């Protein structure tokens, strides 16, 4: 029974991911900005339980000055685009950041990790986004967490963090306003991980659509889809495992930069990362099963084709042979001597020879059909 | 030798499971109830070694008041259906529950886990049920365990917990009456895990039926069954591993909410979870072996089809060729000159030409049959 | 070169194993005896370095009284058949056994394990036996170890423990007589594990026989055998791993029920369990390799069949076409006008037309044979 | 839609790697130089924050004397080529090196490792280089690290270390000049590991090229490429895991030969080694997926070929049979008696017999085409 | 381009390995000698830095007496062949050996291990040897290590230990002469492990030869070779892992039977065991890849065969049909009435009918060739 199938997306599944491009042997501890990096836009949020001040600027000096205006506030400097060397240099100098850290900020192929540098934490998250055509964008989101300040760096102007910004604006006197930059760190990281669920669920839906199609008409396109989903899964699993390790490290860290009241939230994020890994693993197994299913179905189809060929050939080839025999021109008379050659195909001159032959042919054909039916070749 | 095979269930094997539907970036620490959630029905059991008082109500206030009537009793508040915001809000406020916990109660895609919140434990179990058509229902069962009270939350009105209710009613002065809410927690969790055995055994029976069928007539439907069972296994394994981890955490916890006399029972439940994982793993291996078997059998069948085609074609094609040769019309005389062309097919004018040709054909056919028999093509 | 092959056992490979049959939610801490359980026969051995007293009875009271006659002796109560409720009840009461333990004794699907209950140890072993038709019987053997007494429970009247009984009878003043019940525990467990070697070796021989057959004539039956052996291996591995864990727990336990002089023997048994796991793992890998081999050989055979078909078809189809062409009836004269149609098949009226055609056919056939030979289709 | 594909490199993918060639049982603690080893060239760098002195020589005495000229400098003795016994002997004696260490220096199949010999560290790295034809050169780079001196040994005159030399020369007052030989050790090891990224990225590009080709025209060469990449991956993974272990050992070591300021750099190198392992693992999974894809595509192609054959055969074989029937020579008259045989093929003498037969043939052909179309054999 | 291929060894790859033959339940702590064991030959070496005394005898008493002649010397008693009960009994009594140990000496299927019995160490190694026909001999080499004496037991008269004996004889004042029996233990074990490299390298060469052949002409024999190598690898890996564990145990042991100066050598042997495991693992992966390659190549070959068949059939079947049509005997005149049947095959009476038909056939054939060429069936 055919039910209408959901449409299959036919665009190519792909990953857009930064590659490590720096030359080996480059002076460690210096950082060069990629040519393709976007110029930085800076957004500053200075907030406490009651007030929120925002600033958008291109000048890092201005941004830092803005945060210093409200010494008791928590501050978030949101740097979008890593293309402005002066912004990065100023931050490095101003906040006394190790060059290795700045290097990791701009070489955007880092695994999620946390590094404790005493006066600050350096944290890396992988921010993933799946566009409509199932292209996976795998971007780096880095954080520098200080006592009253968190600085975030991202490659693109777009991100998945707007829900956090909205909460910050609307949620007067909520946790996000009261618990300082380490809560902000949690909120940002958790939003990133939560977005993994959205992606995995979309991929899961894709797999289910593919499965429905497979059961009705297996075809090459479906295999491409499954392979594509598996490729994304491999990529996401790498990120998710590292997220898990990072959150585990945070939960166990002792640095007083993290507000102890936040550990319980971090544990929740940790649980999410475990759930995501779990989900990805079972989805990968399902994808593998679907591939096996595809292959079995293709080989079933092949069997069916072969059986059709075999049945038709096997029935007609012997019959054609018989027709061929009675198409031979063995002579009734020797043309030279006129002697009748009675042994040469006397069947041809029998009154009912033709009828007999046709009957024999029908019997042979029926015997074969019966044999094939008994073997079950007509079933399934 | 054919023995009558057990019937195969032909309905689709499937999983019904809550998906994570909340939008990423939602304010953590708030909870929204799904639109599809059922309104809550509340069942209260207040019991001690000798007495048992029951109440069914829709009002959580009434339920809580009921438990407070018997201050020395143990109490179980059984909340079925998570659709009543007021019930949840009241419980949160009354018992001072962290919002993150309430969120996990209503977002019913949590992994089994235990969280120690000092004045209470939060415990999640996955309650599984397999309907007749092999649809696996994967529901969340959450517990809040207090000193004298256990509150359980489940999504549906149906569950697998009736045996516990019966024991509670009938087993006067039994462990279930004497050992307080932590024993009730154990009894409920153990009943849930025990039900896994029922499910795994049913799936095992399914696999054995499929195996019996496979050995007699391999066909596509059987492969679908095996794939379906594997899918359920993947899902159950995820739950069973998490159950194991949870029970391990309980055994090692020090909170005095758990009656020490119950640890030995928890260990028994832990053993059960290990057994279940063991069983699932071997069943998964068996399912994989069955798939391999199916594929081998299909390829055997294909071989058989190909051999039939090849034998028939190989025997008749040369014979048909010979018949074709003697069906050629090379002329005995040049029609223009009347000159006899003695080299043109003199065989046709031999007295026994036809007989010789038939003999030659039979010899060729027999030689081929002999050759194929020697190669073993007629065996198996 | 064919050597005579060993016979292959054609009976179905199978596992006979208790399934968990108790209903979920049964009162934990009670035990119900399966309907199929055999009535208990009790054998008592009371022994010291010099003397051995034996008793066979159906009455547990009598058996216990018998052990109390010789207060300084070690005693072994060997309970065969678990169908007598009174026997089990008496033992539970007399020796103050937790109900959970008694439950595990009669629900004979437990994993091997050891539980330390202070005044006694509860130990479970899986006793395996392979009958001639390669049916694996997987029975539970449970022990209660006290200071001067060991009680063993088994499901069937048959077992693999006779060597221990013989040693007990003949080995006057040997370790078995001197080292008390904990040595008896060791001797029984070690005999059980040693029997695994016998089973694995028989399965190994089976695999080698199958391999020899495979190299000479691959066929479906062989694949069934390999699949069967793999199934048994999966089952044995589960048991062997648990045996290993159990022995490890015993070696590390501190309870003075275990005579310290016996730890060295336990370590030896532990070594055996490791060896068994090792053996099973490599045998499983070999079984998998054999399956791959089978599949490759089947696909080789298919290749050979296809090549035969292709060679014969490819050679004769073009020749048959040529014969067909000269079997066409294009007329030499227009029958209406009598005009000679010189372009219609003049070959038929050439003096050597037939000879030429035969030569052309032979050339085409040879060219094809040469081409296929060059392609290596006649090799292997 | 065809896009122009990148060229595929058609040279064979290969590994050039030292094999263990010493005979077993050789006196441990002696070392013999391989016959193929190159004579040693020695480069000495003696440097501090401001000055750099270089020397190129063949004489190890001269080199050591050179380092002693500047007692406060850090020194790097760079030995290229391991063919000069006197060089190695002198170093062994002069610096009091255990013979086992010298043996590991010349037997260049060691895994990456670090050995703490109190007065010096012995460190092994595997230096990999991929030439244009995708030949992987897997060379050993060994270090002896002393307080003020590092000696490096490599097999070939070429290496991947020029970036470090350039930095040493240009980076006046940089870390490399100030932090002593242990920073030099770090710089060299990190450059080696960084080069792994270059290699893995090139192999990743290769895989992507292969994938693009696969989707357009799958062919055998592509499979060879994938297999080749997998082989290199296996080799690199072995090295990368050992690098990781080595760096972990260094980070945890307490010997004061390692400047504590360098641990943070070592941790960075450790992160790189983790990233490399991660990358290799996902690339290996991708390579495996590509192989599966190749096989599926080949089997799709086969399906297509078979369907073509089957459609053509199935349509024409019955038609040919019909034509064969009407090519039979059953006689209209008995030649002896002249009696008309009305049952012998009366169709041949019907006014429209030919037309009818042609019509029947067309109908049969169309019916088959319709049947195959319905079955979906003309799609995809 | 064909290069001359190295020869392939065509003998069967096999393992000769002792099986566990003792019956389960045998009295643990007694040992029975296998019927096939060789009578013992005893070689004694008594040595110090300057002197070496050797003795060959059949009498164990004589051998022990010989070692007692030089009380300050180190001694090695080398027992070849385990068939002499009196030798083993004498050793057991004389040196006070636990019966379990003696049992392990004669039951030669033990895993490598070390057991610390206070006054002596019991050590087991697996000595492997590959004969020319790639038969792997897996023999047990056991050691008893005392303060001044090491006794070794081996099953056969042949072994791989001659290099150690030569070193002992020639290396006056070397480590082997000075460092006592524990160095001798090291030297023997290391020689055994080193021999694994020789074996693995030979198997690696075999795999490379097979790979070269595979790329030129894949055939069944090659698959047998790969399967054989995999089988040996499984066996060697088991031994190598246990060797690793054993060496690790030795390095961490505190018994003063091991000269502390030897730990560094043991660590070297440990490194070797790791390298061997590494090598085996990558070789196993390569063997698996080769099998995949073989299967792909076979399926490619099959494709090629099928394409040939399909092209030839598809081209000629329609042509043969056309020829068949014009071979039909539809009559020009009704023989009874003499009426001309103008609709019966008028083509046959057209002046150029034959030419037209030939042209049509050529066109059809070319069209098909063009179509197949476009589909890429003639490529590769």
């Amino acid at each position: 029974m055919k039910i209408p199938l959901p449409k299959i997306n036919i665009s190519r599944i792909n990953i857009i991911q930064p590659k490590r491009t720096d030359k080996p042997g480059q002076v460690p501890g210096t950082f060069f900005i990629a040519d393709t990096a976007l110029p930085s836009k800076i957004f500053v949020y200075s907030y406490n339980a009651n007030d929120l001040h925002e600033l958008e600027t291109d000048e890092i000096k201005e941004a830092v000055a803005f945060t210093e205006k409200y010494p008791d506030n928590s501050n978030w400097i949101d740097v979008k685009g890593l293309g402005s060397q002066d912004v990065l240099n100023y931050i490095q100098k101003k906040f006394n950041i190790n060059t290795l850290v700045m290097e990791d900020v701009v070489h955007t192929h880092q695994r999620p990790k946390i590094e404790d540098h005493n006066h600050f934490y350096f944290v890396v998250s992988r921010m993933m986004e799946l566009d409509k055509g199932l292209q996976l964008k795998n971007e780096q989101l880095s954080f520098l967490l200080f006592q009253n300040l968190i600085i975030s760096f991202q490659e693109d102007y777009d991100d998945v963090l707007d829900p956090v910004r909205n909460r910050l604006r609307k949620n007067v006197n909520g946790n996000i306003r009261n618990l300082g930059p380490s809560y902000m760190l949690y909120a940002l990281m958790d939003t990133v991980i939560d977005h993994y669920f959205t992606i995995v669920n979309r991929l899961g839906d894709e797999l289910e659509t593919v499965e429905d199609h497979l059961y009705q008409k297996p075809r090459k396109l479906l295999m491409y889809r499954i392979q594509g989903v598996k490729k994304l899964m491999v990529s996401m699993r790498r990120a998710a495992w590292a997220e898990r390790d990072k959150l585990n490290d945070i939960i166990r860290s002792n640095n007083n930069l993290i507000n102890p009241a936040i550990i319980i939230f971090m544990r929740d994020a940790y649980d999410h990362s475990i759930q995501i890994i779990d989900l990805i693993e079972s989805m990968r197994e399902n994808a593998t099963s679907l591939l096996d299913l595809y292959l079995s179905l293709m080989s079933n189809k092949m069997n069916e084709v072969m059986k059709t060929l075999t049945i038709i050939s096997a029935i007609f080839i012997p019959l054609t042979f018989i027709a061929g025999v009675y198409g031979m021109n063995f002579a009734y008379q020797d043309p030279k001597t006129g002697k009748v050659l009675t042994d040469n195909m006397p069947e041809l001159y029998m009154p009912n020879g033709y009828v007999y032959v046709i009957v024999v042919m029908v019997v042979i054909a029926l015997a074969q059909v019966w044999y094939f039916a008994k073997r079950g070749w007509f079933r399934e």
Side-chain angles (χ1 to χ4, degrees), chain A residues 78-359:
Chain A
D78 185 6
V79 181
K80 293 181 173 183
L82 302 171
S84 307
Q85 182 88 45
D86 57 328
V87 170
L88 299 169
N89 284 346
Y90 184 86
I91 289 173
Q92 179 177 18
K93 223 179 211 161
K94 172 80 185 173
F95 299 104
N96 184 22
I97 311 291
N98 189 319
T99 314
L100 283 170
V101 168
M102 294 314 290
E103 213 182 0
D104 285 356
V105 167
V106 296
H107 293 167
T108 57
H109 58 269
Q110 307 302 317
R111 293 176 83 225
K113 63 174 173 182
I114 177 158
E115 289 177 11
D116 181 349
H117 292 264
N118 292 311
H119 69 298
F120 72 96
Y121 270 164
F122 174 54
V123 183
V124 177
S125 284
R126 305 269 1 145
M127 183 159 62
M128 302 221 178
E129 180 60 306
L130 197 65
D131 74 8
K132 291 231 170 130
L134 296 190
Q135 303 257 23
L136 184 73
K137 220 171 76 187
N138 183 341
E139 224 181 314
Q140 177 169 323
L141 181 64
S142 323
F143 305 99
L144 299 175
L145 176 71
F146 302 92
Q147 198 62 50
N148 286 315
L149 172 66
I150 182 165
I151 310 179
S152 67
F153 301 91
Q154 62 189 70
E155 300 169 64
D156 249 337
Y157 298 150
D158 295 332
D159 60 28
V160 304
L161 303 174
D162 280 338
V164 178
R165 297 193 187 94
N166 291 338
R167 249 194 295 153
L168 183 61
R169 290 183 187 119
K170 294 180 190 155
N171 209 5
V172 178
N173 211 355
N175 281 332
I176 203 165
R177 286 287 192 84
N178 284 316
L179 290 173
S182 57
Y183 186 89
M184 180 59 78
L185 174 67
Y186 153 70
L188 292 168
M189 287 198 316
D190 194 49
T191 303
V192 163
I193 293 174
D194 268 15
H195 203 77
Y196 285 28
F197 282 101
T198 315
I199 297 175
V200 171
N201 280 343
R202 271 186 62 197
L203 293 176
D205 290 348
E206 176 75 21
L207 278 188
E208 275 177 31
T209 307
V210 164
E211 188 176 357
D212 288 342
H213 277 260
L214 261 188
Y215 279 105
Q216 290 198 11
K217 23 179 181 157
R219 55 200 202 278
K220 213 154 58 172
L221 172 62
L222 299 174
M223 180 187 57
Y224 292 166
R225 299 310 283 171
I226 305 172
Q227 293 275 20
V229 169
K230 272 183 83 176
K231 209 168 148 187
L232 297 202
M233 287 298 171
V234 169
S235 198
M236 293 196 67
R237 192 183 46 173
R238 263 175 72 199
W241 270 104
E243 288 286 346
R244 195 203 75 101
D245 293 346
K246 178 184 72 178
L247 285 161
N248 198 25
D249 287 352
I250 291 181
I251 291 169
R252 298 194 183 168
S253 71
N254 298 312
N255 196 317
N256 62 0
L257 286 167
I258 301 278
N259 186 334
I262 279 154
I263 291 300
I264 190 175
F265 291 98
M266 290 294 185
R267 229 170 242 143
D268 201 55
Y270 177 81
D271 277 3
H272 291 172
S273 70
I274 299 272
Q275 283 174 33
I276 260 293
I277 290 170
D278 248 35
L279 259 181
I280 290 173
E281 287 302 341
S282 1
M283 216 163 275
R284 259 170 49 87
E285 287 198 53
N286 287 342
T288 304
S289 286
L290 282 187
L291 266 188
D292 289 349
L293 184 64
Y294 170 78
L295 288 174
S296 306
L297 288 172
M298 289 319 288
S299 114
N300 261 304
K301 226 173 150 179
M302 181 89 164
N303 262 2
E304 188 200 317
V305 168
M306 291 308 304
K307 277 200 297 200
T308 306
L309 173 59
T310 302
I311 290 169
I312 291 180
S313 300
I315 289 176
F316 284 102
I317 284 179
L319 304 186
T320 303
F321 163 68
I322 291 173
V325 164
Y326 293 106
M328 293 193 297
N329 296 320
F330 282 94
Y332 178 73
Q333 281 187 306
D334 185 325
K336 225 180 335 194
T337 64
K339 194 180 142 201
V340 173
L341 308 172
T342 46
D343 286 342
N344 274 358
M345 312 190 75
E347 303 93 322
L348 294 177
Y349 312 109
M350 287 164 64
N352 294 308
Y354 178 54
V355 176
Y356 293 158
V357 160
I358 296 294
V359 167

